[in-house]
Amino acid sequence: MAAANGIHAVHVQVKRYQPDTSAKAYWQDFTVETDGKDRLLDILNKIKWEQDGTLTFRRSCAHGVCGSDAMRVNGRNRLACKLLMEDIGTHVTIEPMLGFPVIRDLVVDMDPFFAKYEKVKPYLINDEPEPRTERLQSPEERARYDDTTKCILCGACTGSCPSVWANPSWVGPASIVNAHRFIFDSRDRGADERLQILSDRNGVWRCRTIFNCTEACPRGIHVTDAIEEVKRAIMYSSSDVE
Ligand code: SF4
Ligand code: FES
């Protein structure tokens, strides 16, 4: 029950994995007081600093920018620093994201994720002679890929995708979003190369248009739409992507 000042108890269930002491993951319950204005990250910090210093999770900016605290909250991938406790209620379950190897507690191994990201060449490719000033593009050309520039590489989309859970070798939504960002950049000349990479058996075609990725993205990126645009680019133009 909430006190007059709004302070009330929240029941927090955390999936723990401490490989030094137990080969199996297990659930642990905590009770934390909040006035509802805390973020979920504040609650995790209170547990770590006041109740159990062994609780392990990644965090850095606390403002939805660095992408380090993606986790599964009440069954959905979210950034802990963006979740207000008054929007969560008095019971919350927290797990590491699915589809990633778990290192400890809520910390997952992001190396395979970044290896797939690197595979799509997420950087400007252009061997033409450098212009005397910057490479210009119109506002319309810039708008073409604006949505996919917002990615913070948190992995929430990839960790929410059943196609990734079934096949960890699949390149996954985050990599395709970051390929999209350059494929549709008028200054880039590497589109054919990326489309070739994404047309293989672990490329875009394993997307089943489930939309979990779009729902999970804390940046509001239209992830499924970006994947569909890359699919269409492969189908209709391997040499002249618009
Ligand atoms: S597309 Fe969204 S959910 Fe996926 S990694 Fe980027 S910011 Fe995170
Ligand atoms: S701590 Fe940086 S995005 Fe949440």
Side-chain angles (χ1 to χ4, degrees), residues 22-24 39 53 82 97 147 159 207 213 219:
S22 171
K24 284 190 176 170
R39 304 278 165 167
K82 289 194 74 176
M97 288 193 290
D147 198 36
C207 168
C213 51
R219 302 286 293 159

Side-chain angles (χ1 to χ4, degrees), residues 112-123 169-172 175 179 193-194 196-203:
F113 173 84
F114 283 109
K116 288 188 267 186
Y117 166 70
E118 284 171 23
K119 192 176 156 190
V120 302
K121 302 180 185 286
Y123 41 79
S169 301
W170 183 50
V171 69
S175 299
E193 214 177 323
R194 295 190 195 90
Q196 185 69 38
I197 292 164
L198 289 171
S199 60
D200 84 2
R201 62 198 302 271
N202 281 315

Side-chain angles (χ1 to χ4, degrees), residues 24 44 48 96 102 150 159-160 181 192 214 223 225 230 239:
K24 284 190 176 170
L44 286 168
K48 184 170 181 69
V102 180
K150 297 173 192 159
S160 69
R181 182 255 171 271
D192 287 350
T214 302
V223 181
D225 290 356
V230 173
S239 59

Side-chain angles (χ1 to χ4, degrees), residues 59-183:
R59 75 284 194 200
S60 181
C61 70
H63 285 86
V65 177
C66 71
S68 52
D69 61 341
M71 53 190 72
R72 191 168 159 89
V73 180
N74 289 342
R76 288 182 57 193
N77 284 355
R78 316 290 295 271
L79 290 182
C81 64
K82 289 194 74 176
L83 279 180
L84 203 53
M85 290 311 294
E86 66 186 13
D87 294 333
I88 293 181
T90 55
H91 187 114
V92 57
T93 61
I94 310 173
E95 305 166 69
M97 288 193 290
L98 303 179
F100 291 83
V102 180
I103 296 174
R104 179 179 293 272
D105 291 342
L106 304 172
V107 174
V108 295
D109 183 359
M110 298 292 284
D111 284 355
F113 173 84
F114 283 109
K116 288 188 267 186
Y117 166 70
E118 284 171 23
K119 192 176 156 190
V120 302
K121 302 180 185 286
Y123 41 79
L124 192 83
I125 297 173
N126 189 330
D127 293 334
E128 294 167 3
E130 287 181 16
R132 292 182 58 183
T133 60
E134 66 265 41
R135 297 180 197 275
L136 298 177
Q137 60 185 177
S138 69
E140 293 74 23
E141 288 170 332
R142 175 62 179 77
R144 182 68 186 85
Y145 60 93
D146 184 65
D147 198 36
T148 47
T149 63
K150 297 173 192 159
C151 178
I152 55 173
L153 293 168
C154 66
C157 54
T158 297
S160 69
C161 174
S163 297
V164 171
W165 304 340
N167 174 16
S169 301
W170 183 50
V171 69
S175 299
I176 302 171
V177 161
N178 286 279
H180 179 286
R181 182 255 171 271
F182 289 98
I183 288 168

